[in-house]
Amino acid sequence: MKLITQICTFSLLIFGSKAAVDRNWWKHATMYEVFLKSFKDSNGDGIGDIKGVTSKLDYFVDIGVDTVWITPYFPSSGADGGYDITDFYGIDSTYGTMEDFDELLREMKRRGLNFIMDLVINHSSDEHEWFQKSIKKIDPYTDYYIWVDPKGYNQNGEPIPPNNWVSIFNFTRPSSCWTWNEQRKQYYFHQFGIKQPDFDLRNENVKKEVKALMKFWLDKGVSAFRVDATPFFMEDSLLRDDVHIDALARWAAGTEDGFSYRLNHPDNIGFLNDLHLFLRQYDRKNKKETQSVMMAEAYGTIKVIMSYYGTAKMPAAHFPFNFRITTLKKYYDAHEMVDYLNVWLKNMPQGAAFSWALGNHDQGRIFQRFNKEYNYILLALVTMLPGTSQIYFGEELGQEMFDFAPQRAKDLWVERDHFRNPMQWENTLNAGFTSAAEPWIPLHPGYWNLNVEAQKNQPSSTLNYFKDLTTIRKTDIFKYGDLKLQTISKWIMAFSRTYNKSKYITVLNLGMESSIVDLHANIQDIPSTLTIAVASPNSGFTKGEKLSSTPNYPNLPVLRPHSAMVLTY
């Protein structure tokens, strides 16, 4: 039976010379998100903290991670998991002290690890000093936030909001994102919760504040910024009503009529360009050997997301996070998967840097939409494709979500706590996460069996499979190599990375049944024998094993369902 082969080639010249790549570490970083409250508790209060992260730095090195993104550690009012900040220059006492933070960065630098700070600049907490002064119209803070007069007053003399915009935290049950402040006699705007007033990012004084706080943390040793909530930075200056009151719900569902006058405004790009130029100036002034970077949390249509790269003349974010893999919702065959990935690859601007995310603190744990074996495919995709690879803590283990009792949740969206449950380190009290009687939210009850220590000692564990992937990911071929995506058969997908006449071929069985892998019939210039560099535990193969690529059945390899292997020669 003749096999249909689809080949897509991308020359990854974006990486340039080795010298440029060494400076631009972020273009091939293996990034790990630490949800701080759930990673490691050092003082026995049941909450993860900075010293806890410091105590586990060798773990990152061991599993091949070189870049760590830590969720907000700033003083907060506690309304939104740390994303409602009361002081952009401090450390929340729950997580430690500034001395603890300085120690963390020193120890990371000593191990060659990069630190990514969560830059939350769309809003602050309503308890922030700036907002309290803005209420009182104390300059220069008077217009730091978005204040608007009411549209009018109803028959009871009550103010009417300026328009029909609704809060992102309430788009399933629309409620206004305008809250009346009786003292100032105006509405303030909040894209998110009522305790998270939005900054007016068009205000020049606010822009100066943003650059000042970036400089403060860069001087501390921060390597990069993960820019939070980028699509919500700017709003329509005319405050026009959205056509649909549920515009955000439509947008979140991916419908074409999800346009909102307060989402992905074109002025966002100019604002990011200003910050991008600031980072360039900072690096030049301080003669930095490595580049300071901005990574944007961006959502929207593919065209909108690509706009956050900016242009050669007007660069914006160094890259927007690519949630393409994160948003998979069904089992794709090989042709569908190639097409799905190509939506991103074919729309990228010339010279742009790649990125691939597997999950984060808002996305959930993707592999729980599928069977457990599918995690092997997802890990191979996010690590073997070119560019920055980002995983969420515990995904290297296959850690699972836990739908515990709602009364134990702390987040305003209960469901988010279900995938923020603590890291499972070992088979001891509270999985080695804390010595407290109980952690801040419940652990998954299966931690006794699924934990770091158990998997470290199992050669066929998910953790050791991930380590094998990150080991070869550090080689030149995965930093500079070309990419070819191919369909070998309906359910077998392959993609090759080539550099200096060396090649790695990642093979995925996306199907529910074992399938023959006939590489020689579909991939040119490969020898008759290939070596397995990495094999998923369920593949039926082992690392170092030799495989035939010639079409001499039954000598051709048969790959088990939902498994992966990486071949080389």
Side-chain angles (χ1 to χ4, degrees), residues 210-221:
V210 170
K211 293 173 186 177
L213 74 91
M214 291 174 74
K215 180 182 183 302
F216 175 85
W217 293 105
L218 286 167
D219 288 346
K220 286 278 184 183

Side-chain angles (χ1 to χ4, degrees), residues 456-472:
K456 282 170 63 176
N457 298 320
Q458 296 172 4
S460 61
S461 68
T462 303
L463 178 62
N464 283 312
Y465 168 64
F466 178 76
K467 288 171 63 174
D468 287 341
L469 291 170
T470 58
T471 296
I472 64 171

Side-chain angles (χ1 to χ4, degrees), residues 135-156:
I135 292 173
K136 299 172 184 177
K137 296 187 177 181
I138 298 174
D139 286 334
Y141 307 103
T142 301
D143 297 319
Y144 266 37
Y145 299 84
I146 299 173
W147 293 98
V148 178
D149 292 331
K151 182 187 293 186
Y153 295 85
N154 63 21
Q155 60 186 5
N156 297 321

Side-chain angles (χ1 to χ4, degrees), residues 490-502:
K490 181 176 181 180
W491 293 105
I492 298 292
M493 170 189 167
F495 55 93
S496 58
R497 306 292 308 280
T498 307
Y499 180 71
N500 278 353
K501 299 182 180 180
S502 296

Side-chain angles (χ1 to χ4, degrees), residues 175-194:
S175 62
S176 179
C177 56
W178 298 99
T179 292
W180 180 255
N181 182 270
E182 186 63 29
Q183 182 175 352
R184 180 156 165 153
K185 301 296 183 183
Q186 283 185 306
Y187 281 99
Y188 69 86
F189 178 64
H190 52 91
Q191 293 268 34
F192 295 89
I194 193 172

Side-chain angles (χ1 to χ4, degrees), residues 37 402-420 439-442:
K37 292 181 73 173
F402 178 34
D403 296 342
F404 49 80
Q407 58 268 28
R408 281 286 275 121
K410 301 294 193 298
D411 191 53
L412 67 167
W413 281 356
V414 172
E415 292 78 8
R416 293 197 302 186
D417 276 351
H418 292 163
F419 46 82
R420 296 175 175 181
W440 73 282
I441 53 173

Side-chain angles (χ1 to χ4, degrees), residues 109-126:
K109 184 176 181 180
R110 192 167 67 85
R111 292 167 173 81
L113 298 171
N114 298 297
F115 180 89
I116 299 178
M117 174 183 136
D118 223 325
L119 185 66
V120 185
I121 51 176
N122 178 72
H123 52 267
S124 74
S125 167
D126 64 341

